[in-house]
Amino acid sequence: MSAPVLLGYRIFRFRGAGVALKFPVVLLRGLGRSSGFWLEFSEKLSEYADVVCVDLLGTGRSPSEWGRGTIQGFSQDVAKTLETIGLKDFYFVGISLGGMVALELSASSTAMRKLAVLATPSRGFGERRINPPALMRLLWSLRKGTPANAELAPFLVSE
């Protein structure tokens, strides 16, 4: 395996008027998706914490057109990047491949305080992807037409 590399990332500084979360939140997207695919979610989340959006190797601001062949390789890249940024403690949200990378990283990281894994097919295809009350609220929001991403973001931030 080749040496870990520093990945591309974007930082959204805490801008909320209320109480901030205790630690920054790291966001990692799935296969072929850059941090830009978090859309307005990262900005909405910055009302509660500093947010770091990382691009896996082969996407977005990262230095290569090629990704990694293993989850472990991606995880080592993310670990190097977070260490370089200087994150000592953080919350982590990974979606799809990003969730698999986050699970791998959690096995070796003492800095990861909480982990949320979204839409990762590691438990099979029969699992629900969204909790039913949240789905009902989301569907109700569609009654006026397709909402903007900024309108959908609160559903992703809420419990």
Side-chain angles (χ1 to χ4, degrees):
M1 180 184 308
S2 58
V5 299
L6 178 65
L7 299 172
Y9 60 91
R10 294 172 36 189
I11 297 177
F12 296 83
R13 295 291 178 199
F14 171 66
R15 60 182 181 81
V19 177
L21 293 174
K22 189 171 183 180
F23 304 113
V25 178
V26 176
L27 301 176
L28 188 63
R29 285 297 307 220
L31 182 65
R33 299 286 184 161
S34 71
S35 59
F37 281 90
W38 285 105
L39 307 171
E40 287 91 0
F41 178 66
S42 45
E43 292 174 20
K44 182 70 177 172
L45 189 56
S46 71
E47 293 177 12
Y48 305 94
D50 284 341
V51 178
V52 179
C53 296
V54 179
D55 288 325
L56 288 173
L57 196 63
T59 64
R61 298 170 185 222
S62 289
S64 172
E65 292 181 14
W66 300 97
R68 292 282 187 198
T70 66
I71 302 297
Q72 182 182 25
F74 281 126
S75 174
Q76 290 172 348
D77 293 340
V78 172
K80 177 183 176 88
T81 302
L82 299 179
E83 182 180 320
T84 301
I85 293 171
L87 289 185
K88 305 276 188 235
D89 296 290
F90 53 88
Y91 301 127
F92 203 108
V93 178
I95 186 168
S96 192
L97 174 62
M100 292 181 239
V101 172
L103 287 169
E104 177 73 22
L105 181 62
S106 73
S108 61
S109 174
T110 57
M112 190 182 299
R113 296 297 171 203
K114 291 191 178 191
L115 169 63
V117 177
L118 310 174
T120 298
S122 60
R123 293 189 63 201
F125 296 104
E127 299 295 318
R128 280 185 283 179
R129 299 276 175 121
I130 187 169
N131 123 359
L135 178 59
M136 294 309 296
R137 288 177 41 213
L138 179 61
L139 292 174
W140 181 251
S141 75
L142 298 174
R143 71 191 182 285
K144 295 180 185 175
T146 305
N149 291 316
E151 293 174 287
L152 291 176
F155 291 106
L156 302 173
V157 176
S158 68
E159 291 182 15

